[in-house]
Amino acid sequence: FRGRRLGGRELPLPPGYRGLVLRGGEPGEPPLGEPGDPQARWVTVTGSFGAITDWGADAAPLPGRGLARALQWGPLAQAV
């Protein structure tokens, strides 16, 4: 981004939702699950957040577009 200005707008997550910060297991540590299962993995929750910033080059993104529009789908999907 070297010298470019960024504009951002903080968007709250929909009611009933929260974001999680996850950390994967260290190499060499045994995963939880069935022995020999190549899909067995584990993660640890290291933090949470209730808002996310929608960034745009030079100016904040327009309301009702991009990430702001995507965040509207959670409550809509739950209603259906």
Side-chain angles (χ1 to χ4, degrees):
F1 298 87
R2 298 185 168 190
R4 285 194 76 166
R5 292 176 53 122
L6 292 176
R9 177 182 313 108
E10 191 171 284
L11 302 170
L13 297 178
Y17 287 82
R18 69 181 173 140
L20 298 177
V21 180
L22 304 175
R23 180 178 166 268
E26 296 295 325
E29 291 184 26
L32 302 176
E34 297 293 320
D37 181 5
Q39 297 294 321
R41 296 178 183 225
W42 63 271
V43 295
T44 303
V45 176
T46 60
S48 65
F49 53 92
I52 190 165
T53 303
D54 191 8
W55 294 102
D58 298 325
L62 297 172
R65 304 207 50 173
L67 184 58
R69 180 174 266 175
L71 290 176
Q72 296 172 356
W73 281 98
L76 178 63
Q78 189 174 19
V80 172

